[in-house]
Amino acid sequence: MEVITRDFFLFLSKSNLLNKMAQSWGSRVAAGKIIGGNDFNSSIPTIRQLNHQGLSVTVDHLGEFVNSSEVAKERTEECIRTIETIADQQLNSQVSLKMTSLGLDIDLDLVYQNMTKILQTAEKHKIMVTIDMEDETRCQKTLDIFKDFRSRYEYVSTVLQAYLYRTEQDIDELDSLKPFLRLVKGAYKESEKVAYPEKADVDANYKKIIRKQLLNGHYTAIASHDDKMIEFTKQLASEHNITKDMFEFQMLYGMRSQTQQSLVKEGYNMRVYLPYGNDWYGYFMRRLAERPSNIAFAFKGMTKK
């Protein structure tokens, strides 16, 4: 049943018609509930509120698979303005972005030009930029880009997905760079040739990579709504004397807000992933596909006053 539910939401995520309809509903249905707002400035009050509650933030301008160099450059400038605004407004926030939004599917040189501009700004203001991971076909290119920039810049991190067979080896190969990694289960539909098809195997691998990254001594973000993964991380940290300043939990805005607050009260670092923009539909469907219980969390978040 879980596989059927996952495939259903992944199928819906690819509907151009539903995406266009969702864009027109954005400000009415999603803003302030599962996204921060239609643009970054409209998201600032939400960021301040989250910061006031003891929550850190990472923001993401929604939109991927850009097929125009002009649009990729626009996304780059938007990211630069966001970093500068975060610094100017003294917000406790980082930035997340996808390589396809900077032109990965167009030209590799274009991506390097755009990312260099972003990271130069990030280094200046000491604001972390996380390179989000996309589907498996873009995984190696994304990691190659990250490795190159990580060798030259401090304020850059990336994401690894537990459902891919390759991920444990990727952690080993990244170890010398002392990377800050966000570890997730994964939210794209992948072939059984490259990804674990069974949830139990994904969960087991997720625990394995959490353990490996934390025991390697590198700062780690455990991005999960799964109580079992949260408790596993807490227990692992306790058993190996890993201090709370060496990792953080991450959850989506609008989901499991009470759990987020509980983790803050327990003294853990808790970061909220706050997307913004009109292109929210595909993102939302993939989040529902990740874990069936997200459906209940999302419904509660979208219907709250």
Side-chain angles (χ1 to χ4, degrees), residues 8 100 107 177 270 298 304:
F8 174 68
T100 51
D107 178 63
L177 295 172
M270 178 67 232
K304 68 183 179 182

Side-chain angles (χ1 to χ4, degrees), residues 28-214:
R28 184 168 66 253
V29 176
K33 297 174 181 177
I34 60 172
I35 64 173
N38 291 334
D39 55 31
F40 180 70
N41 285 337
S42 65
S43 303
I44 291 176
T46 299
I47 297 172
R48 289 198 185 282
Q49 181 182 30
L50 292 169
N51 288 168
H52 182 70
Q53 295 169 355
L55 299 160
S56 303
V57 174
T58 186
V59 295
D60 179 11
H61 184 200
L62 293 172
E64 51 196 286
F65 309 127
V66 169
N67 55 19
S68 161
S69 59
E70 288 74 20
V71 174
K73 291 177 181 177
E74 290 173 3
R75 293 293 177 87
T76 299
E77 293 304 316
E78 160 70 17
C79 189
I80 290 171
R81 287 194 299 272
T82 297
I83 293 170
E84 291 175 338
T85 302
I86 288 171
D88 183 62
Q89 297 289 322
Q90 297 183 332
L91 303 172
N92 182 356
S93 180
Q94 298 177 355
V95 173
S96 296
L97 52 78
K98 292 180 173 62
M99 291 295 90
T100 51
S101 72
L102 302 187
L104 183 63
D105 293 345
I106 304 169
D107 178 63
L108 195 58
D109 288 339
L110 176 65
V111 174
Y112 270 86
Q113 292 169 15
N114 290 336
M115 193 62 178
T116 297
K117 293 177 182 177
I118 290 170
L119 289 182
Q120 286 176 343
T121 306
E123 292 285 306
K124 175 183 177 182
H125 296 293
K126 295 181 171 56
I127 292 174
M128 184 65 69
V129 174
T130 297
I131 301 173
D132 279 338
M133 191 56 69
E134 302 177 69
D135 66 304
E136 190 274 338
T137 63
R138 297 174 175 88
C139 182
Q140 189 59 55
K141 286 184 179 179
T142 301
L143 289 180
D144 288 343
I145 292 168
F146 169 70
K147 290 174 185 176
D148 191 359
F149 281 111
R150 176 61 182 148
S151 68
R152 295 179 285 131
Y153 292 93
E154 179 180 359
Y155 289 90
V156 59
S157 63
T158 194
V159 179
L160 293 181
Q161 300 164 313
Y163 69 174
L164 296 180
Y165 301 139
R166 61 175 291 166
T167 299
E168 187 177 7
Q169 182 177 341
D170 287 332
I171 290 181
D172 290 337
E173 293 179 358
L174 292 171
D175 183 52
S176 63
L177 295 172
K178 300 180 180 179
F180 165 24
L181 298 176
R182 177 195 299 156
L183 303 180
V184 304
K185 289 189 180 182
Y188 291 87
K189 185 174 177 59
E190 305 286 5
S191 165
E192 292 184 16
K193 294 180 180 179
V194 299
Y196 295 102
E198 300 297 331
K199 178 182 181 299
D201 293 327
V202 175
D203 288 350
N205 198 46
Y206 197 20
K207 290 180 179 180
K208 186 183 293 185
I209 64 174
I210 290 171
R211 174 185 292 274
K212 181 177 283 287
Q213 173 69 0
L214 283 176

Side-chain angles (χ1 to χ4, degrees), residues 222-249:
I222 297 88
S224 177
H225 295 159
D226 189 336
D227 287 330
K228 292 180 180 179
M229 296 304 161
I230 294 169
E231 290 306 314
F232 170 80
T233 303
K234 290 179 180 179
Q235 185 64 32
L236 179 68
S238 176
E239 290 176 357
H240 294 275
N241 296 316
I242 300 170
T243 57
K244 291 178 179 177
D245 62 350
M246 287 302 298
F247 64 96
E248 65 184 44
F249 294 107

